[in-house]
Amino acid sequence: MAAKTKQSASLDRKKLMADPIMVTTIVVLITLLTLFILYPLAILLVDSFVGDGSFSLSVFQRIFQISSFKRAITNTLKVGFVVGILSSLIGLLFAYVEVYVRMPKFTGGLFKVVSMLPVVSPPFVLSLSMIMLFGKAGIITRFLLHIYDNSVYGYWGIVIVQTLTFFPVCYMMLKGLLKNIDPSLEEAARDMGAGRLKVFTSVTLPLMLPGLGNAFLVTFIESIADFANPMIIGGSYDTLATTIYLQITGAYDKPGAAAMAVVLLCITLLMFAVQKYYLEAKTAATLTGKASRARMMIEDKSVRVPLTVLCTLVAVFVIMMYICVPIGACFPTWGYKFFPLTGKWFTQVFTRYKGFKAFKDSFMLSLIAAPITALLSMIISYLVVKRNFKGKGFIEAVSMLAMAVPGTVLGVGYIRGFSGGLFHTGILQGLYGTGAILIIVFIVRSLPTGTRSGISALRQIDKSIEESAYDMGADSFKVFMTVTLPLIKDSFLSGLVTAFVRSITAISAIILLVTPSYLLITVQINEFAEKGAYSLACAFATILILITYGAVLLMNLFMKYFGTSRKMKED
Amino acid sequence: MSNKVLIKDAVKKYGNFTALNGVSLDIAEGEFFTLLGPSGCGKTTLLRMIAGFNSIEGGEFYFGDKLINKVPAHKRDIGMVFQNYAIFPHLTVEDNVAYGLKARKVPKADIDRRVKDSLELVQIAHLAKRKPNELSGGQQQRVALARAFVIEPSVLLMDEPLSNLDAKLRVQMRSVIKKLQRRLGITTIYVTHDQEEALAISDRIAVMKDGHIMQVGTPNEIYAKPQNPFVAGFIGVSNFLDCEIDSAGITSIKDELKIKVPLRRAYSGKAKLSARPEQLFFSREGMPGEILFSTFLGDFIEYEVKLNDGQELIINEYTKDTTEVHADGEKVHISFDPNRISLYTADTEEVLSC
């Protein structure tokens, strides 16, 4: 057995070496991943542990004496924990209603849309509308309820906004798991005498527990990595991401920021490791089965009515938040004069605030980054799923690692790693401050999601299909372009659009690296929101929302007419 | 406690499609009753209506004297064995079996004793602490059985419980189920599309097609006296021959064989005859034909015979009755015992033979 594996390994190696394109690709990939993901993180460690040429903990000693930093750690963990729990619960509610409960078509569709809305929306949007609806001068708090001293800034503001932003992620994860529960398990429980509630607590919930833990940790990581929302609605309630940003832009303390970034990175990496290696395996172990037959949807009023009321409340809230943004962009003078609605802010975006340049820059950079990201993630997933070679583990681990790295940490890493050239030697220094480095950050930030969906798409393709192409004389490049890629066209396309949307809405890493020669929409929104120019921020945000939804719509249309997968699945 | 089950005019509709069209059944206490039919005949639909998972669009369902139409599934006091077993993956074997007892709030000491007893009954007591993913298919099947009958349900329902097992295990589990059911005396309703399984396991069988019941009877009745051509064709192998009955009650087949078959009522006109391969035999007189092909199967020989008009029949001859093997191409005459074949009217397929 051992001899056989050894033999097949050496055979794999020989096959690989006979394929120069493959070898080149692998070498280039490893170089890129090392340079743009590992190196910036490594330099953070080096910077924070090495002072004056020797190993020391002095930087850490210094930052742990800053009380605002210690407070930021507690704040971040507290927010992350609560947001994780609330998002998982709301996600579970929406997923359960969709998979288990018979709903009128309209209501069901509405809930589905509401739970998907935040997925493609830019950051800040919810923070902006939260301030405009419930803040001191909020439309609801001040002008409807006549409360004059309501503050949304701080802990609760962040918690509410982040929960609404991240619960869709939980919803999608949990929906997939709930669909995989075999309905006959619940039927078995029922005919042995368990009522609906008992079935839920004794069968459905225990089966979902690892999945819920998984959803919790994923949102926890998202929450502590989030920069945009705490920035706008946090007020004086600082989280790690905002503290690091301020340490650089306010205190000009780059080594200190690097050390803080290391602390943040350690927290997310730990969570990520637990999620990836412990919970994901557990989820897979309890839910291996496929549903054997369609589920009988619950029609009991005692279940439907309360769940519908709960979902409707959340839905109304979410919809209100989203409607607030375009309307907020039309108020003549925010907080003072609301009518008649005007289009002047949209005009001013372009006439006074260089809107054209902002949209052009954001659009161009994202448009360049998206196809590169999509192609890279397909190549990586192809190598990981279909090929065997030394360094495969490295490629997979590093591209997944990027998922656990908060944008702010990456931003600081790039500042430390590239502003003075590689290892502060001046090599590659020209990269810093260019559009290229922004594009690279866009790519690195979107690579993990693309790679993950690529891997799952490729796992469904039988190896023998490609092997038969090799047999007929195609080399690996030709096989990838003519066989593999067409088969995962849909996945590639959605990877492309996801990368575009993620790039054009990115802020956390970018805000640390952008130079005045580039104007980015998200940075503009942040600036105007900071200044309190909410109508302008809303105008920018509205156009950004239109762009992202337009991109998603375009993708869906394109897939409908040119997609192959659907037809193949039906066969 | 065990109950009889009475179903009156059950109707099930999915939109415009009628899955069950007025099905009535009377299942005795302690009986092993099987719903048999091809896929899409409504057997599983009916079982799930009895279980309470499907709504009832029409008709009345009784357990004993109690109308259960409006009783929710978890209060019907049933045990069910699913096609894929539906063992809870997060519970151990004993917790799986104890689930229904806990739901019924049985005292702890009783639960332990009954779980132990029932695991012993299906011979998996040594696996009590295992998790389901450590069990083989046959062992999971035994857990599902123990879990269903440990609650001593008034009715035990089984939905193709053997179809996921391999052939050998299927035969073995078949007799385990049958013996267990005899011993416990629980009224059992069993769904299968496998006619051999149904014949082997059941006290009585209802053969279903397109939402109707085609025949209810003991395995022997169903096999020997099929009440319509569908049952004759679905259970076992049957040869069908067109024939004509004259006013004197003489049945003539292709003008080549005239024979008097006892009829249950006076009838003359076109008819359809069905005969099992072992109900046909070679004789001096009868329908002339030619042997096309023979297969020697040990205890019997199967012949394919071509009649003069081109129709092909299958005829079995048992080696205990004859030593002679007919050669391919040999000219033969075929006849049958008029008391053992079945006759149906050609148009309404009503049974005519006694």
Side-chain angles (χ1 to χ4, degrees), chain A residues 403-433:
Chain A
M403 193 150 25
V405 180
T408 313
V409 173
L410 199 74
V412 179
Y414 271 57
I415 291 180
R416 301 304 289 162
F418 293 106
S419 65
L422 287 187
F423 295 102
H424 313 299
T425 57
I427 304 170
L428 275 181
Q429 197 173 11
L431 196 61
Y432 190 73

Side-chain angles (χ1 to χ4, degrees), chain A residues 48 60 63 66 68-69 240 243-244 247 253 255-265 409:
Chain A
S48 43
F60 283 98
I63 60 162
I66 306 174
S68 68
F69 175 64
L240 275 174
T243 307
I244 293 170
Q247 198 70 14
D253 172 17
M260 290 176 177
V262 168
V263 174
L264 177 55
L265 181 63
V409 173

Side-chain angles (χ1 to χ4, degrees), chain B residues 106-323:
Chain B
V106 174
K108 175 95 176 62
D110 283 2
I111 292 183
D112 293 345
R113 182 182 48 78
R114 282 167 69 178
V115 168
K116 192 164 159 282
D117 287 351
S118 62
L119 285 179
E120 268 163 18
L121 213 54
V122 290
Q123 299 159 356
I124 49 167
H126 58 291
L127 303 174
K129 305 281 180 205
R130 296 261 187 101
K131 279 281 184 75
N133 58 7
E134 301 166 301
L135 302 181
S136 69
Q139 288 167 337
Q140 291 192 25
Q141 172 74 81
R142 286 172 195 258
V143 178
L145 277 175
R147 190 178 69 175
F149 68 68
V150 73
I151 55 177
E152 292 168 8
S154 57
V155 182
L156 186 59
L157 306 177
M158 300 198 186
D159 185 6
E160 310 223 12
L162 301 180
S163 59
N164 283 356
L165 299 175
D166 64 55
K168 202 172 161 193
L169 210 51
R170 197 148 56 211
V171 173
Q172 189 192 338
M173 284 311 293
R174 192 162 84 188
S175 75
V176 170
I177 291 177
K178 179 73 190 159
K179 283 175 190 158
L180 210 58
Q181 193 269 344
R182 280 269 166 79
R183 191 156 147 195
L184 301 167
I186 301 175
T187 311
T188 301
I189 304 174
Y190 187 99
V191 160
T192 183
H193 64 270
D194 181 339
Q195 41 122 349
E196 183 193 319
E197 191 174 301
L199 293 175
I201 208 166
S202 320
D203 293 329
R204 275 196 308 154
I205 299 170
V207 183
M208 296 179 66
K209 180 199 173 195
D210 297 340
H212 292 275
I213 290 196
M214 304 304 286
Q215 184 173 358
V216 179
T218 63
N220 184 32
E221 284 165 359
I222 298 253
Y223 184 83
K225 293 282 170 199
Q227 294 298 296
N228 46 62
F230 173 78
V231 175
F234 186 71
I235 311 281
V237 180
S238 288
N239 296 297
F240 291 103
L241 289 160
D242 291 332
C243 56
E244 187 123 15
I245 304 173
D246 65 17
S247 50
I250 305 291
T251 303
S252 65
I253 303 158
K254 301 181 196 289
D255 291 327
E256 291 166 344
L257 180 66
K258 288 190 193 317
I259 200 160
K260 189 166 172 72
V261 178
L263 300 180
R264 55 174 67 181
R265 71 172 178 89
Y267 176 84
S268 62
K270 287 199 185 319
K272 195 182 264 182
L273 181 151
S274 96
R276 303 282 182 194
E278 71 272 15
Q279 289 167 344
L280 295 175
F281 52 80
F282 301 119
S283 67
R284 269 160 226 260
E285 287 157 8
M287 294 173 284
E290 178 189 336
I291 291 183
L292 282 181
F293 192 77
S294 66
T295 311
F296 186 81
L297 289 160
D299 52 346
F300 68 93
I301 309 158
E302 183 187 282
Y303 294 102
E304 286 172 35
V305 178
K306 189 175 170 184
L307 300 181
N308 283 348
D309 66 349
Q311 190 182 354
E312 289 173 19
L313 300 178
I314 291 174
I315 298 168
N316 292 348
E317 236 183 10
Y318 283 82
T319 39
K320 68 177 166 49
D321 302 327
T322 175
T323 51

